[in-house]
Amino acid sequence: ALRGDTTMRRVLLLLCIGAAMGFQGTLPVFSGMRARGGAISARAPLVTPRSLRSAVKPQGARAVSSQAEGGGVSGDKALSVAILGATGGVGRLTTAIVRSYGVKIRAVVRSPQKAKELLPDDIEVVQADLKDQASVAGALKGVDAVIMTSGTTAFPTDRWKGGNDPKAVNDVGVKNVVDAIEELNRDAGPDGQRIKKVTLLTSIGVRRADKFPFSILNSFGVLSSMQQGENHLVQGAKRAGFSYTIVRPGRLVGGPFTNPDFAQLLKIEEGDLQSVECVRGDPDGFAGDCSRRSTAEALAQTLIQPVGDLDFSLKSVKGIMLSQEKWDSAFQKLARGQESLRLEFSDLDVEKFNRWLTVWGNGIITSGALFPPLPMPFRVDYPAAPTVGVDLQFLSVTVNGQVTEMGALELRLVKGLNQPWALVAKRSNGQDDPFPGEEQLLMQLQDDLYRVTTNSQQSGERGSVWGAE
């Protein structure tokens, strides 16, 4: 009987996938992080970050301004955020949480009528279709940050109607958003209204689409399309000068199942699986369910955490809902796992430092300062303005001259945790293992910084004293 019943076979297949994803072996909390072999640090990363939060009210409501560090946005006005897919399950929860921060929200949706039925009147609603880059650019103009929660089903359903299949939504749609942001930031210039932070919702298994059970889930390309979307985001961030976060939850479970009143969204019972486990990247063995509420909390937290570029996976575990202090600690651990080096400065002329770092990057290859020569070739790239930094792109070269990029060590000047500014080195794409010669490069950087700082202090050039600690 089942042989002729397509619907029943599809239901059984989904149940098998869910069971496999939900009951695989688990890892200890933050087990994806390990000691960084060869990594160095001028100062152990501090554990009390300032963030976008200008205040935390006693009742737990957060008043957020656009003053930020690291991966946040800057300025003195109220933060404005565009939430794409704000009428979906995760999107509505994210909207409710971000709204509790006191943030100005713009809901970017395909159906304004549906949005007006589901969302409060104080939320701006703008119509746009991710398949239309021009409409997306118009919808995002004037915001500081973007959260993308749009998605579609892994298998053919009515949600695919109108061309909203995984490739259109997760691949082409994300590319259109990134291209629109790049266009807006280019037109705004370094001093204009720029989008500075972008968060993308994907899924665990994106980097494991060829492994069971994710290979089954990827039968119609949902994970492959998400990986393409992630790639568009990472590459676009470098071109457009914004920081990004990729959030990969496990299989989404829990409410809202229907259309509850917006005021009741954050009161949905989640049972005893209210806590979360987070790991960097998309590591083997990490699987399980994740509540929509916890996923939305993680998405909202990316606005107020000073972590810069980051991608991580999460799932629900037994325990109580994380407090703000616990979320702060979780993001700090995720961020610290990425850093190869952090140098904090008590006094810094950013313009002079940028010029010095540019000269240092150009000279590190040609000056002969690196001895012995590094075991792997690299080139020096520079991020788009107004980002201050340098990318050391490590390369693999075959005997016939074919060059492959193996990854980059990204040096960025960011707002510090304890001091006003910090120079942070991170490996691209969440890579754990150091590149060949990475420690030698970073030691050379520290030595050169120490020499120029000491020489400036001895010569009495106040404007050139950087105060590296």
Side-chain angles (χ1 to χ4, degrees):
L2 289 177
R3 194 171 297 132
D5 190 341
T6 303
T7 301
M8 182 61 72
R9 291 204 307 273
R10 183 178 296 166
V11 170
L12 291 175
L13 178 61
L14 291 173
L15 288 174
C16 291
I17 294 171
M21 290 180 67
F23 296 100
Q24 282 196 355
T26 61
L27 302 175
V29 176
F30 304 113
S31 59
M33 296 179 292
R34 59 176 182 266
R36 302 186 297 276
I40 55 178
S41 177
R43 165 179 291 183
L46 303 173
V47 295
T48 310
R50 292 171 295 175
S51 66
L52 292 182
R53 295 187 303 277
S54 60
V56 179
K57 298 179 181 180
Q59 295 82 1
R62 290 169 282 271
V64 183
S65 72
S66 56
Q67 292 179 325
E69 308 182 356
V73 298
S74 61
D76 298 320
K77 65 182 183 60
L79 178 67
S80 60
V81 180
I83 300 180
L84 281 65
T87 57
V90 173
R92 272 183 288 159
L93 286 164
T94 304
T95 300
I97 296 167
V98 172
R99 182 172 178 258
S100 74
Y101 294 173
V103 170
K104 181 180 178 181
I105 297 174
R106 181 182 299 171
V108 180
V109 298
R110 283 184 296 162
S111 172
Q113 182 60 40
K114 180 180 178 181
K116 290 177 181 177
E117 294 173 357
L118 296 175
L119 303 176
D121 293 338
D122 61 345
I123 293 178
E124 180 186 7
V125 175
V126 177
Q127 183 178 21
D129 190 326
L130 296 187
K131 300 189 293 295
D132 180 4
Q133 182 183 330
S135 72
V136 172
L140 300 183
K141 188 174 183 179
V143 301
D144 299 297
V146 175
I147 299 178
M148 288 186 272
T149 70
S150 301
T152 190
T153 54
F155 297 91
T157 66
D158 288 344
R159 292 181 62 183
W160 284 28
K161 290 181 178 178
N164 294 305
D165 57 75
K167 182 173 179 59
V169 176
N170 303 325
D171 180 355
V172 177
V174 172
K175 183 178 187 301
N176 284 339
V177 173
V178 172
D179 288 348
I181 294 172
E182 184 175 0
E183 176 186 329
L184 291 170
N185 282 2
R186 182 176 61 248
D187 292 344
D191 301 321
Q193 175 70 40
R194 299 170 59 87
I195 294 172
K196 308 169 188 70
K197 176 71 179 180
V198 181
T199 300
L200 174 64
L201 172 66
T202 60
S203 170
I204 63 169
V206 165
R207 302 288 170 175
R208 295 174 280 163
D210 59 337
K211 300 178 180 179
F212 182 82
F214 305 110
S215 55
I216 300 176
L217 185 66
N218 195 43
S219 298
F220 290 86
V222 66
L223 295 178
S224 298
S225 64
M226 286 182 175
Q227 181 170 1
Q228 288 300 313
E230 291 185 1
N231 293 340
H232 293 318
L233 180 67
V234 173
Q235 296 162 9
K238 295 180 179 180
R239 296 192 303 267
F242 61 79
S243 66
Y244 70 86
T245 305
I246 298 170
V247 180
R248 303 188 186 105
R251 185 183 62 167
L252 294 173
V253 296
F257 299 105
T258 55
N259 295 330
D261 179 71
F262 188 85
Q264 302 300 314
L265 280 176
L266 301 185
K267 299 179 182 180
I268 295 175
E269 293 293 334
E270 297 290 348
D272 59 350
L273 298 177
Q274 297 186 41
S275 189
V276 293
E277 178 182 336
C278 303
V279 296
R280 286 194 304 119
D282 186 21
D284 288 339
F286 190 83
D289 295 343
C290 191
S291 74
R292 288 179 173 83
R293 170 64 185 269
S294 295
T295 301
E297 288 278 3
L299 290 168
Q301 285 291 323
T302 64
L303 292 176
I304 61 176
Q305 297 292 340
V307 294
D309 297 339
L310 177 68
D311 67 282
F312 67 96
S313 302
L314 73 156
K315 65 180 179 180
S316 295
V317 295
K318 285 187 177 181
I320 62 174
M321 192 175 299
L322 296 190
S323 64
Q324 186 58 53
E325 182 180 0
K326 293 292 186 181
W327 276 115
D328 290 344
S329 176
F331 272 88
Q332 288 162 32
K333 289 180 180 179
L334 290 171
R336 286 205 301 271
Q338 287 188 313
E339 292 183 3
S340 302
L341 172 72
R342 172 176 283 267
L343 291 170
E344 299 215 344
F345 300 89
S346 58
D347 187 12
L348 185 70
D349 184 314
V350 176
E351 185 177 347
K352 288 186 177 181
F353 181 82
N354 191 25
R355 290 200 299 267
W356 180 87
L357 193 60
T358 300
V359 172
W360 181 86
N362 290 334
I364 195 66
I365 296 178
T366 58
S367 66
L370 293 173
F371 186 84
L374 297 189
M376 176 181 283
F378 69 97
R379 73 164 188 264
V380 177
D381 299 328
Y382 296 93
T387 302
V388 176
V390 61
D391 295 336
L392 305 175
Q393 185 70 243
F394 287 83
L395 308 170
S396 173
V397 183
T398 63
V399 292
N400 60 3
Q402 182 178 357
V403 178
T404 303
E405 296 181 353
M406 306 303 295
L409 184 64
E410 301 173 347
L411 303 175
R412 294 291 184 270
L413 186 67
V414 301
K415 292 287 188 178
L417 303 180
N418 189 49
Q419 301 292 347
W421 294 98
L423 181 65
V424 175
K426 294 182 180 181
R427 303 182 194 102
S428 62
N429 302 325
Q431 178 172 328
D432 284 318
D433 297 326
F435 296 107
E438 175 182 313
E439 181 174 358
Q440 183 182 353
L441 267 171
L442 294 179
M443 288 296 294
Q444 186 66 50
L445 173 64
Q446 290 186 100
D447 289 346
D448 292 342
L449 270 173
Y450 176 78
R451 279 195 294 271
V452 73
T453 301
T454 302
N455 292 340
S456 297
Q457 290 172 334
Q458 291 176 348
S459 65
E461 297 177 17
R462 172 60 184 170
S464 299
V465 176
W466 295 336
E469 296 190 354

